[in-house]
Amino acid sequence: VTVDNYQDVTSRAEIPGQFGRDTAERRTIQLQATLKIWDTTTAVLKDVATITLEESRNDVVLPGVQQDGRLTNALIGEVSKKFANDASNAIMNSLAPPKVLAYTLGNITFNRAKGTGVEVGQFWQVFHAGEPLIDPDTGEELGAEENAIGWARVTDVTEKFSKAQAIQDFGIDRGNVMRLSPGGLPAGV
């Protein structure tokens, strides 16, 4: 992991309140890091993921209230926890991509559950994994060809799996690979 950007910004203000001047604080933490996944047996870079987080928290101290510490300090732990979760999900998705477990009448069941970054309303693209791609000069396996065959929107996330509704289907079937589309649906879909 390489941290590309880290900002910890705190803004404070005195605000006139009903019982005097309230002290308000807003803290924002921004973190951007690059995660590189290496095959340590071959020293080959398998995948690269960029993780970007921005979280904010507000705290208001009323006049006459004695407060030790800052409630916004909890934000550091929240960002660290979210980063660790996002990094482990990126590793998992690289090593074992989400796959279609079942497909019935436009309903997709796939092997990602709560805590894996899947959320209701997300858009995912579905791919058919083709033959392995082998470099003819080095013999190195470069992955597999993936052909886009559909789009889906997540409708349910459970403890064991997730469900999605197909939006576009050009041959979705069991075993197909699914990839999150952070930008949503492209125009025309």
Side-chain angles (χ1 to χ4, degrees):
V1 175
T2 304
V3 175
D4 303 315
N5 179 37
Y6 178 82
Q7 300 290 323
D8 186 345
V9 179
T10 302
S11 305
R12 291 183 185 87
E14 297 262 336
I15 303 168
Q18 188 175 14
F19 301 107
R21 298 185 71 75
D22 298 346
T23 304
E25 177 177 281
R26 178 175 178 84
R27 187 170 186 181
T28 301
I29 295 179
Q30 299 172 335
L31 173 66
Q32 182 175 346
T34 302
L35 174 68
K36 293 181 180 179
I37 303 168
W38 293 87
D39 181 336
T40 57
T41 59
T42 61
V44 172
L45 180 64
K46 301 296 275 180
D47 203 357
V48 176
T50 301
I51 299 170
T52 304
L53 301 171
E54 182 173 322
E55 299 288 331
S56 296
R57 176 167 283 190
N58 298 319
D59 184 22
V60 176
V61 179
L62 300 173
V65 173
Q66 178 66 30
Q67 179 176 317
D68 294 328
R70 296 166 46 199
L71 291 177
T72 58
N73 281 345
L75 190 59
I76 295 169
E78 291 170 15
V79 168
S80 299
K81 181 178 178 182
K82 184 155 178 40
F83 174 76
N85 190 48
D86 288 358
S88 63
N89 287 336
I91 292 168
M92 180 66 180
N93 289 340
S94 175
L95 299 177
K99 291 190 179 168
V100 175
L101 299 172
Y103 184 64
T104 308
L105 300 172
N107 294 304
I108 299 168
T109 302
F110 64 106
N111 63 345
R112 288 299 185 269
K114 286 183 181 176
T116 63
V118 179
E119 296 176 11
V120 171
Q122 287 177 330
F123 293 100
W124 289 64
Q125 191 168 17
V126 185
F127 296 88
H128 172 73
E131 297 297 316
L133 300 171
I134 308 295
D135 186 301
D137 295 325
T138 65
E140 178 184 346
E141 185 174 330
L142 304 173
E145 182 179 34
E146 290 186 348
N147 298 305
I149 57 170
W151 285 91
R153 186 180 70 76
V154 176
T155 57
D156 192 24
V157 182
T158 74
E159 297 294 329
K160 299 272 186 181
F161 54 82
S162 293
K163 292 193 163 280
Q165 179 66 48
I167 295 170
Q168 195 176 61
D169 178 2
F170 297 111
I172 298 173
D173 201 1
R174 190 176 186 182
N176 291 147
V177 174
M178 297 185 64
R179 303 248 185 246
L180 175 64
S181 177
L185 287 175
V189 175

